Amino acid sequence: MNNTAAGRRLILASGSPRRHDILCTAGIPHEIRVADADESLPAGIAPSDAVEMLSARKASAVLRTAAADEIILAADTVVSLNGVILGKPLDEDDARAMLRAQSGNAQEVYTGITITDGHTTVTTHEKTIVRMRTIHEDEIEDYIASGDPMDKAGAYGYQSLAGVFVAGIEGDYFNVVGLPLCRVSTILREQFDFRPQWNRR
Amino acid sequence: MNNTAAGRRLILASGSPRRHDILCTAGIPHEIRVADADESLPAGIAPSDAVEMLSARKASAVLRTAAADEIILAADTVVSLNGVILGKPLDEDDARAMLRAQSGNAQEVYTGITITDGHTTVTTHEKTIVRMRTIHEDEIEDYIASGDPMDKAGAYGYQSLAGVFVAGIEGDYFNVVGLPLCRVSTILREQFDFRPQWNRR
């Protein structure tokens, strides 16, 4: 995808294909560049602080080698259930336990974002509540057998098979997928004078 | 896509590629079959009644020629702003007026669904609230120039460029796209013994 006429370039500091897809769908030109960042966290850190801290580290790691006209966007997403952060399941038993715990409950999805060009840096987070319907045992087994849960935080993908389990959400849908699109595009426009490129389709 | 092992076949009575995509993403096997239905509505009908009525007519039209093992799923979606139903824009001026009216406001998206096999018939609707951020005049002009608004009820597509305008929603995301996935899959399971097919990916 081409970059903006204004000449600034947006760098997505994430290897997530889902974040790339969100930016593409919204017509926001970008390149992908990923650098290693320390993913360790202080014990007992709140989910909102954790995702902000990790997004800031990911952005810093890419900023070190960035050109002067480049804007770096980094993000980190976690699922929190009753205050406990759910990562990717370790194995099928772990996925089973996570899905049982989420059945009939509301969870919170936090995505932290950092946008920086080395002069201006914005770090913030967005929260979306996700309400699951009751998930029956046979559905849990079928879902685990599909292989879908294993690479996903909280052991489910709203934008894939597990969409049938989600009764509703409160907040930005794209935040659940991994990038709070409305917030990101507003910050890019207002703080960095960077806009989507909407060519005639 | 293949149909279920149980032998019942689901027929999507809609030509909407977005509804087809939702069922495919959720691993719900189906065929597409569309028949003409009367789309006229009584004056002053409430949005929730309108979408139920139209979904029932669409389902009936396809049911007439259906086989005994077939389950028909029909749907109709409208956007309602301050009680007024917004259809597809007539022209660019109409799209401009709709987008200005939605800027900074909450709207309601109603999808009516009818699922029937000729013996059991379920007709219901699902509502999702969509909150738009302020949409600036230059964004409205850029969005109209993209051509994206013209084939969409309410003159915007959440799942395309206009995702940047949506601050958040309350309810089922897929309902906004055109099919309340959680509700549909629950009715199919509980009333029609019809389940997704989740093969290993």
Side-chain angles (χ1 to χ4, degrees), chain B residues 35-41 53-55 57-58 61 64:
Chain B
D36 286 333
D38 175 15
E39 298 210 15
S40 64
L41 287 168
M53 184 180 291
L54 291 179
S55 76
R57 283 193 204 144
K58 291 179 185 178
R64 272 181 219 118

Side-chain angles (χ1 to χ4, degrees), chain B residues 35-152:
Chain B
D36 286 333
D38 175 15
E39 298 210 15
S40 64
L41 287 168
I45 189 172
S48 56
D49 294 335
V51 293
E52 288 195 1
M53 184 180 291
L54 291 179
S55 76
R57 283 193 204 144
K58 291 179 185 178
S60 293
V62 171
L63 183 66
R64 272 181 219 118
T65 60
D69 64 344
E70 291 179 334
I71 303 162
I72 316 299
L73 163 62
D76 190 77
T77 302
V78 300
V79 176
S80 171
L81 181 68
N82 301 324
V84 177
I85 292 178
L86 302 181
K88 294 175 186 174
L90 302 172
D91 54 27
E92 295 195 350
D93 279 344
D94 197 27
R96 195 171 284 118
M98 283 189 192
L99 291 164
R100 282 181 186 152
Q102 292 175 84
S103 172
N105 285 316
Q107 60 188 247
E108 293 161 342
V109 178
Y110 292 87
T111 297
I113 53 168
T114 293
I115 306 180
T116 182
D117 60 4
H119 300 284
T120 302
T121 299
V122 178
T123 295
T124 186
H125 73 273
E126 181 95 9
K127 179 177 89 169
T128 301
I129 296 169
V130 177
R131 299 182 199 287
M132 294 283 191
R133 68 161 167 82
T134 298
I135 312 174
H136 302 282
E137 282 293 314
D138 65 293
E139 293 177 310
I140 290 175
E141 294 309 317
D142 285 352
Y143 186 47
I144 288 172
S146 77
D148 198 53
M150 300 313 295
D151 67 334
K152 297 183 177 72

Side-chain angles (χ1 to χ4, degrees), chain A residues 51-131:
Chain A
V51 293
E52 289 194 1
M53 183 180 290
L54 291 179
S55 77
R57 283 193 204 145
K58 291 178 184 178
S60 293
V62 171
L63 184 66
R64 270 180 221 119
T65 60
D69 63 345
E70 291 178 335
I71 304 164
I72 315 299
L73 164 62
D76 190 77
T77 301
V78 300
V79 176
S80 170
L81 180 67
N82 301 324
V84 178
I85 293 178
L86 302 182
K88 294 175 185 174
L90 301 171
D91 54 28
E92 294 195 352
D93 278 344
D94 198 28
R96 195 172 283 117
M98 282 188 192
L99 290 164
R100 283 181 185 150
Q102 292 175 84
S103 172
N105 285 318
Q107 59 186 249
E108 294 160 341
V109 178
Y110 293 87
T111 297
I113 53 167
T114 293
I115 307 179
T116 181
D117 61 4
H119 301 283
T120 301
T121 298
V122 179
T123 296
T124 185
H125 74 273
E126 181 95 9
K127 178 176 87 168
T128 301
I129 296 170
V130 177
R131 299 182 198 287

Side-chain angles (χ1 to χ4, degrees), chain A residues 7-23:
Chain A
R8 304 204 75 177
R9 293 141 53 92
L10 180 66
I11 311 298
L12 175 63
S14 169
S16 155
R18 293 183 279 265
R19 293 194 180 108
H20 169 63
D21 287 346
I22 290 171
L23 290 179

Side-chain angles (χ1 to χ4, degrees), chain B residues 2-3 12 29 114 150 156 166 198:
Chain B
N2 292 322
N3 282 296
L12 175 62
T114 293
M150 300 313 295
Y156 79 95
V166 179
W198 290 342

